[in-house]
């Protein structure tokens, strides 16, 4: 099993993520703390924070199924909200439903004290080999996001340049 619960990334810290383990049916259980700072003008939790909780929960569920040499990235995340969520604890239940050599599908739902907030259809993950260099990985992701946004990579400088 991967060390899915540690170390806790900054985004997971913001969401108050806590790994609870697996229930008897094999679902990964993750608790989040929806804070007052997450509310919208209606006093309920803004949907983007709930989507981030789903993304985090499905990711940690996928990581728990992998060896420590592998990691996952989200390829797609679709959701629909059934009801507003309130400030307080929110439990995510996530489970791997399909797995191939390079991909995984995870289903999840968020539940608060009043019931299900958001079931999510399948979420696609791709496996990646862990990089030894964090900056190298960051550069790879920057190139990927630049290509996805249609931006060209800046030209490599031949030597040092100075600003006028």
């Amino acid at each position: 099993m991967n060390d899915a619960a540690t170390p806790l990334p900054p985004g997971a810290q913001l969401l108050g993520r806590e790994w609870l383990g697996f229930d008897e049916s094999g679902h990964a259980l993750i608790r989040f703390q929806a804070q007052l700072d997450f509310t919208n003008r209606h006093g309920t939790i803004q949907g983007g924070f709930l989507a981030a909780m789903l993304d985090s929960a499905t990711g940690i569920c996928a990581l728990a199924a992998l060896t420590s040499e592998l990691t996952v990235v989200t390829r797609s995340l679709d959701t629909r909200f059934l009801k507003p969520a309130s400030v307080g604890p929110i439990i995510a239940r996530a489970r791997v439903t399909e797995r191939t050599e390079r991909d995984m599908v995870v289903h999840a739902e968020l539940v608060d004290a009043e019931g299900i907030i958001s079931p999510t259809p399948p979420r696609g993950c791709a496996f990646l080999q862990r990089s030894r260099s964090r900056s190298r990985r960051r550069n790879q992701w920057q190139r990927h996001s630049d290509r996805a946004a249609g931006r060209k990579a800046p030209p490599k400088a031949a030597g040092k340049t100075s600003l006028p």
Side-chain angles (χ1 to χ4, degrees):
M1 180 169 161
N2 195 322
D3 58 345
T6 58
L8 204 58
Q13 291 176 24
L14 175 68
L15 297 172
R17 186 178 82 192
E18 179 185 358
W19 172 257
L20 301 177
F22 292 95
D23 67 12
E24 62 281 350
S25 65
H27 285 88
L29 301 175
I30 302 98
R31 180 177 22 236
F32 295 95
Q33 185 60 41
Q35 303 173 31
L36 186 59
D37 291 342
F38 297 177
T39 57
N40 55 29
R41 66 176 170 238
H42 308 293
T44 59
I45 303 302
Q46 196 270 339
F49 286 103
L50 297 172
M53 290 176 191
L54 281 170
D55 185 41
S56 182
T58 54
I60 196 170
C61 176
L63 280 174
L66 299 175
T67 64
S68 61
E69 295 83 36
L70 296 173
T71 190
V72 296
V73 294
T74 302
R75 284 197 334 206
S76 64
L77 175 66
D78 298 313
T79 192
R80 59 189 172 101
F81 301 109
L82 302 178
K83 67 177 201 66
S86 301
V87 171
I90 294 177
I91 303 294
R93 296 181 62 220
R95 187 161 115 164
V96 175
T97 58
E98 294 177 39
R99 183 174 176 175
T100 67
E101 186 178 313
R102 301 262 319 146
D103 298 300
M104 181 180 293
V105 175
V106 181
H107 286 222
E109 65 185 14
L110 297 176
V111 182
D112 68 2
E114 299 165 12
I116 295 175
I117 299 165
S118 175
T120 182
R123 180 235 187 191
C125 301
F127 302 158
L128 295 176
Q129 197 70 22
R130 285 193 187 265
S131 171
R132 294 186 193 272
S133 165
R134 191 168 258 219
S135 63
R136 191 172 102 211
R137 183 171 61 235
R138 189 174 302 120
N139 290 339
Q140 289 170 342
W141 283 108
Q142 185 61 49
R143 285 193 303 271
H144 173 72
S145 64
D146 285 346
R147 281 194 307 268
R151 295 186 297 258
K152 293 187 179 192
K156 293 188 179 188
K160 290 186 179 180
T161 58
S162 60
L163 296 174

